[in-house]
């Protein structure tokens, strides 16, 4: 019995090791190419600002300091913008995922009234766009100008997300829903107790797409929000990039007489402001990926009907 339980190890040839080695090298280089821009921006934020301004920081930080972060955080409106971005990302992602999951599930139900018509109607909206002016007039008529809900409501129903969920639900065993119906479960009960647990991977994918889109969006702020208290972090970043030189001068002048006596290495520059704010904006959304990654590696059909 012990001999049968032993795993059979296949002998690998020199060619197999060579292919594996080449694969690891290629993927390592690809990962390096993807990660280097973030690394480059980060080392420039903690290096001497005069060297960073002249493009001297390429691979290793020099004259490390963290005063850029403490200075940029003090810029008026930055923390309020961060709160708005976090709020729109959390609320928008949760509501969008729930609606995408429910609608994607409902479009697989043959008992849904006019199911094919409504599905085609939603898909049709992917191919037509009225433009910015009609969109703005609609938003104004709905009283969503200078309204926080303008960040959330227009993106709740996404045809692309619905297609993803619908396709995924159709790939799951129908016997699970049939068994629940025999036991007397209704539509909502089946969705909450049966469908939701087995479509977590696709919901995690939709959540990542939605969160990244919500966090990075700034055009809606540009067009709809004139109140500074409703500006998002990405919009503030957009303004800072356009006004980096004047902001650097503002930060230096507001720092007091001690900052004037500081070395040029720690004086704020356009590059330091731009890169520091970029790191502050990008870091939170990068932390989302490891949180959702576990849903991709889990078994999709754990506990489902076999055979």
């Amino acid at each position: 019995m012990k001999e049968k339980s032993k795993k059979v190890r296949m002998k690998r040839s020199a060619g197999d090791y060579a292919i594996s080695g080449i694969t690891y090298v290629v993927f390592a280089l690809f990962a390096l190419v993807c990660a280097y821009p973030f690394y480059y921006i980060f080392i420039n934020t903690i290096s001497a600002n005069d060297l960073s301004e002249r493009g001297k920081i390429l691979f290793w930080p020099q004259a490390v300091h963290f005063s850029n972060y403490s200075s940029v955080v003090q810029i008026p409106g930055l923390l309020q913008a961060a709160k708005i971005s976090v709020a729109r990302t959390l609320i928008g992602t949760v509501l969008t995922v729930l609606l995408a999951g429910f609608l994607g599930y409902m479009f697989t139900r043959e008992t849904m009234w006019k199911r094919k018509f409504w599905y085609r109607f939603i898909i049709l909206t992917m191919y037509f766009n009225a433009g910015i002016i009609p969109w703005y007039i609609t938003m104004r008529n709905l009283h969503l100008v200078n309204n926080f809900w303008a960040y959330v409501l227009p993106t709740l129903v996404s045809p692309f997300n619905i297609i993803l969920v619908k396709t995924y639900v159709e790939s799951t065993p129908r016997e699970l829903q049939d068994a629940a119906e025999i036991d007397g479960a209704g539509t909502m009960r089946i969705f909450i107790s049966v469908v939701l647990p087995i479509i977590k991977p696709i919901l995690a994918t939709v959540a990542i797409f939605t969160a990244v889109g919500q966090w990075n969006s700034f055009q809606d702020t540009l067009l709809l929000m004139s109140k500074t208290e409703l500006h998002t972090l990405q919009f503030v970043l957009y303004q800072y990039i356009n006004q980096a030189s004047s902001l650097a001068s503002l930060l230096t002048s507001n720092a007091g007489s001690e900052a004037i006596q500081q070395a040029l290495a720690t004086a704020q520059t356009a590059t330091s402001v731009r890169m520091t704010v970029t790191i502050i904006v990008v870091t939170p959304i990068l932390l989302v990926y490891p949180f959702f990654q576990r849903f991709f590696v889990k078994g999709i059909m754990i506990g489902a009907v076999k055979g």
Side-chain angles (χ1 to χ4, degrees), residues 24-42:
Y24 286 130
V25 171
V26 170
F27 278 103
L29 291 176
F30 181 74
L32 180 62
V33 170
C34 294
Y36 177 74
F38 299 100
Y39 173 75
Y40 172 79
I41 295 175
F42 176 71

Side-chain angles (χ1 to χ4, degrees), residues 35-256:
Y36 177 74
F38 299 100
Y39 173 75
Y40 172 79
I41 295 175
F42 176 71
I43 63 176
N44 274 272
T45 62
I46 62 174
S47 298
N49 291 341
D50 56 336
L51 297 177
S52 176
E53 185 73 16
R54 298 199 303 268
K56 299 296 184 180
I57 308 300
L58 297 176
F59 298 103
W60 307 108
Q62 300 182 33
V64 176
H65 68 94
F66 296 92
S67 59
N68 288 338
Y69 290 94
S70 59
S71 298
V72 169
V73 170
Q74 296 175 4
I75 295 176
L78 192 66
L79 294 180
Q80 175 63 22
K83 294 178 182 178
I84 295 296
S85 291
V86 170
R88 72 171 292 180
T89 301
L90 291 178
I91 298 174
T93 300
V94 171
L95 294 180
T96 300
V97 168
L98 289 177
L99 273 179
F102 181 72
L103 292 177
Y105 158 68
M106 288 302 298
F107 283 128
T108 64
R109 303 278 296 180
E110 296 181 358
T111 56
M112 178 181 175
W113 181 72
K114 300 290 185 180
R115 175 174 64 97
K116 294 183 179 180
F117 168 78
W118 291 116
Y119 182 68
R120 292 170 182 172
F121 180 79
I122 289 180
I123 299 303
L124 195 65
T125 61
M126 298 179 64
Y127 301 97
F128 297 96
N129 189 346
I132 293 179
I133 295 178
W135 173 80
Y136 176 81
I137 294 175
T138 302
M139 298 293 284
R140 186 182 62 183
N141 292 337
L142 293 174
H143 304 287
L144 291 177
V145 176
N146 286 322
N147 189 332
F148 172 80
W149 291 105
Y151 292 138
V152 178
L153 297 181
T155 60
L156 285 183
V157 180
S158 171
F160 178 71
N161 294 337
I162 292 174
I163 293 174
L164 289 179
V165 177
K166 177 180 179 293
T167 305
Y168 193 91
V169 173
E170 289 175 342
S171 68
T172 61
R174 179 68 183 181
E175 291 84 352
L176 294 173
Q177 299 182 37
D178 293 340
E181 288 182 354
I182 293 174
D183 291 337
T187 301
M188 288 300 299
R189 183 66 177 178
I190 295 174
F191 173 69
I192 296 174
S193 301
V194 178
V195 177
L196 273 184
I198 63 177
I199 65 171
K200 285 183 180 179
I202 195 62
L203 292 183
T205 303
V206 171
I208 289 178
F209 290 160
T210 305
V212 172
Q214 286 282 8
W215 184 263
N216 291 334
S217 179
F218 73 92
Q219 188 175 12
D220 47 6
T221 306
L222 178 65
L223 297 175
L224 298 175
M225 305 301 173
S226 60
K227 295 182 179 179
T228 56
E229 59 267 24
L230 291 176
H231 287 177
T232 62
L233 199 58
Q234 287 293 345
F235 182 72
V236 172
L237 172 62
Y238 168 77
Q239 290 181 314
Y240 286 176
I241 291 176
N242 292 335
Q243 305 173 6
S245 299
S246 59
L247 283 170
S249 301
L250 177 64
L251 288 171
T252 304
S253 61
N254 288 344

